[in-house]
Amino acid sequence: MDDRLAQLVRSNGRLRYKGLVSLIHRVAQLTFVSFCDRPFLVGKELIQGNLSQGTSDASQTMSFRPNYVLQEDKNSEKEGQKEAGSGPDSSIGRAIFAFRKAPYSETPRGVFSVGREEGNDLVIADYSVSKKHAEIREKARADYFIKDVNSTNGTFLDGERLTPHTEMQIQRNSEIVFGRLEFVFTLPGDLYQMIQSGG
């Protein structure tokens, strides 16, 4: 990762959005792609333009049922949507996380841990995310795999719940859900274009 981008990454792996927008407006797409050596996790709310607000208490993992699982009847679905939109800081759903190794990382090179507590490479402080939630492994330059590490609320890849400790390959623009939070696996060029067109 180039120093210009590294300066925008907080200790939890989250990018400073305004700084990223400013950088993207100053450089050409090929330049941006050349100094971004890995993809990003982009909050689905950011992609959809959802600007809802909320508050956060990230001290415990709370059991959560995603609204797309609650489809037994319309009442259950409405309850699930209400639960999903309340509570934690929805700004996390608009975050962009950079794949980089944290200085305190406990995972080997090429493995990016995702969870609620410090010690993970990507720290997602939300009550529905477990302390140690998932791992994303880079097997080749463009091949990434994800596995759930026995989280409370599960990890979903393109709508399919992952069996704990079983790796599944991530594709370009795959949707990844940790607990209640949805992200899109985004390549640097796609992120550049998204921000140029809407940022």
Side-chain angles (χ1 to χ4, degrees):
M1 180 180 302
D2 182 89
D3 286 342
R4 289 173 284 188
L5 188 62
Q7 292 174 10
L8 301 176
V9 180
R10 297 179 179 144
S11 62
N12 61 1
R14 185 173 175 171
L15 284 163
R16 291 177 176 86
Y17 184 75
K18 289 181 181 179
L20 178 64
V21 170
S22 176
L23 175 65
I24 284 176
H25 287 302
R26 289 192 322 262
V27 301
Q29 183 172 352
L30 287 176
T31 303
F32 181 76
V33 170
S34 73
F35 61 71
C36 296
D37 55 350
R38 294 192 174 97
F40 300 90
L41 285 181
V42 179
K44 192 165 180 188
E45 288 182 28
L46 179 64
I47 290 172
Q48 294 174 333
N50 183 341
L51 301 176
S52 61
Q53 298 285 335
T55 59
S56 176
D57 176 12
S59 61
Q60 297 182 11
T61 302
M62 297 176 71
S63 186
F64 172 78
R65 291 180 67 195
N67 59 5
Y68 53 81
V69 172
L70 300 173
Q71 295 185 4
E72 294 140 0
D73 60 64
K74 291 190 179 202
N75 291 335
S76 294
E77 189 173 288
K78 286 179 185 174
E79 289 170 17
Q81 289 172 348
K82 182 178 178 184
E83 182 181 342
S86 63
D89 183 358
S90 64
S91 72
I92 296 171
R94 297 185 310 271
I96 300 172
F97 288 89
F99 283 84
R100 56 67 172 138
K101 293 302 289 178
Y104 46 78
S105 179
E106 300 170 0
T107 56
R109 186 175 183 209
V111 177
F112 304 92
S113 59
V114 179
R116 190 180 70 240
E117 72 177 3
E118 297 295 321
N120 289 292
D121 299 301
L122 306 178
V123 179
I124 303 175
D126 183 84
Y127 71 82
S128 69
V129 176
S130 294
K131 291 178 183 180
K132 301 285 186 193
H133 198 100
E135 290 180 354
I136 297 173
R137 180 181 310 272
E138 179 183 27
K139 289 196 175 178
R141 197 50 147 169
D143 290 334
Y144 287 83
F145 294 78
I146 187 168
K147 71 176 176 180
D148 182 88
V149 292
N150 211 25
S151 65
T152 301
N153 293 309
T155 303
F156 293 77
L157 178 64
D158 294 324
E160 181 181 336
R161 187 178 184 130
L162 300 180
T163 303
H165 303 289
T166 302
E167 287 188 340
M168 296 289 292
Q169 187 166 11
I170 305 170
Q171 304 297 324
R172 176 182 182 184
N173 297 324
S174 281
E175 293 185 6
I176 301 171
V177 178
F178 305 108
R180 71 175 195 102
L181 297 170
E182 297 179 65
F183 294 90
V184 177
F185 185 79
T186 307
L187 300 179
D190 295 336
L191 178 63
Y192 183 94
Q193 290 177 357
M194 180 185 79
I195 290 176
Q196 277 286 16
S197 64

